[in-house]
Amino acid sequence: MNPAHRDRLAFMRVVSGAFEKGMEVWHSGTGKPVALKQPQQFMADEREAVEEAFAGDIIGLFDPGIYRLGDTLSEGPKLHYENIPVFAPEFFNRVRPMDSMKRKQFQKGITQLAEEGAIQTFIRTETGREEFMVGVVGMLQFEVLEHRLRTEYQVEIVKEGMPFRFVRWVVKTPKPVEDLKLTSTSGRAKDSHGRDVLLFENEWSIRLACENNEGLELTDTAER
């Protein structure tokens, strides 16, 4: 709305009771109380401050980086519902800033886009150098990534396609992940929450990983 000034808003639907500006609520994501300041409502490209809202209303809250999809805000009882699952991406690119001097802006932009749920990020370290990977469900998301980094963070990126088509989160492993017996085309990485994941080119590699590592349990979804 204003290219010279950018902040973040988390949109919240009031499902019961009433909202009042400045009220203190319990936030399920952090397990701590937060004060709801600077609430906004939108109409086209205009926005206005909100003093109160009721069930069915949608308002925008200033987000200092604590809100995630599926979080619950409650006054009184501490309500915590099951997390929204993260589904496995199907396309992967190694990404880096075209200008190495803009790595700080690049990392900030990538992190915030991942927090919004626009992309998923993975760090691969087994190659001897830290590789930053982005995973998406559809190729159009890579175009969104490039556009938003360029327009919001003034960062141009270089993308390198990777052969992986499947990612699986490690639920249980009989040995350290780095010692698992995998095919030569498989990979190891960690997601943005530090959880171990395995990367595969095909379903045959997934099946072989489970057969060669008795007790290994994998899943194609994770909690956000």
Side-chain angles (χ1 to χ4, degrees), residues 106-126:
F106 165 77
Q107 290 181 320
K108 181 178 180 181
I110 287 285
T111 299
Q112 292 191 355
L113 289 172
E115 290 173 352
E116 292 177 18
I119 58 173
Q120 293 183 48
T121 57
F122 304 91
I123 297 293
R124 190 180 179 201
T125 56
E126 64 179 346

Side-chain angles (χ1 to χ4, degrees), residues 113 118 139-150:
L113 289 172
M139 294 297 289
L140 181 61
Q141 287 174 274
F142 284 129
E143 296 181 24
V144 172
L145 170 65
E146 283 189 281
H147 174 75
R148 292 193 59 184
L149 286 176
R150 182 187 308 115

Side-chain angles (χ1 to χ4, degrees), residues 7-219:
D7 55 16
R8 291 199 294 175
L9 290 176
F11 288 95
M12 174 190 76
R13 180 187 292 276
V14 181
V15 296
S16 66
F19 165 86
E20 294 181 2
K21 180 180 179 181
M23 70 187 298
E24 188 173 275
V25 297
W26 183 77
H27 175 219
S28 67
T30 60
K32 299 178 181 179
V34 295
L36 303 182
K37 301 177 180 179
Q38 304 181 44
Q40 309 279 325
Q41 277 189 327
F42 291 79
M43 179 62 70
D45 62 349
E46 300 293 330
R47 60 176 168 176
E48 60 181 22
V50 175
E51 296 295 329
E52 58 182 8
F54 303 94
D57 291 341
I58 296 176
I59 59 176
L61 302 175
F62 170 71
D63 181 12
I66 64 173
Y67 297 120
R68 300 291 184 271
L69 294 174
D71 283 357
T72 303
L73 303 175
S74 56
E75 185 181 37
K78 297 179 179 180
L79 303 178
H80 194 144
Y81 298 95
E82 289 187 13
N83 290 335
I84 297 174
V86 175
F87 295 98
E90 299 177 2
F91 303 96
F92 300 86
N93 271 350
R94 184 187 296 116
V95 294
R96 59 180 174 82
M98 188 175 295
D99 183 353
S100 60
M101 299 297 290
K102 292 190 174 183
R103 185 166 182 80
K104 186 175 181 179
Q105 297 100 302
F106 165 77
Q107 290 181 320
K108 181 178 180 181
I110 287 285
T111 299
Q112 292 191 355
L113 289 172
E115 290 173 352
E116 292 177 18
I119 58 173
Q120 293 183 48
T121 57
F122 304 91
I123 297 293
R124 190 180 179 201
T125 56
E126 64 179 346
T127 57
R129 61 188 177 91
E130 189 175 88
E131 289 186 353
F132 198 82
M133 294 192 305
V134 169
V136 298
V137 176
M139 294 297 289
L140 181 61
Q141 287 174 274
F142 284 129
E143 296 181 24
V144 172
L145 170 65
E146 283 189 281
H147 174 75
R148 292 193 59 184
L149 286 176
R150 182 187 308 115
T151 57
E152 297 179 26
Y153 301 90
Q154 290 74 56
V155 175
E156 296 285 350
I157 62 172
V158 176
K159 305 195 313 294
E160 300 175 51
M162 305 193 74
F164 304 120
R165 287 294 175 266
F166 300 91
V167 60
R168 294 293 183 266
W169 282 267
V170 178
V171 177
K172 184 185 296 184
T173 176
K175 61 185 74 173
V177 171
E178 58 270 21
D179 295 332
L180 291 173
K181 186 177 180 182
L182 306 175
T183 63
S184 60
T185 58
S186 302
R188 301 168 179 81
K190 291 185 180 293
D191 69 4
S192 58
H193 296 282
R195 296 174 294 204
D196 288 310
V197 300
L198 299 179
L199 301 154
F200 302 99
E201 289 190 8
N202 49 55
E203 294 182 344
W204 174 80
S205 296
I206 301 175
R207 186 166 59 252
L208 202 62
C210 294
E211 292 175 357
N212 290 338
N213 301 277
E214 186 176 354
L216 177 66
E217 292 184 20
L218 306 175
T219 180

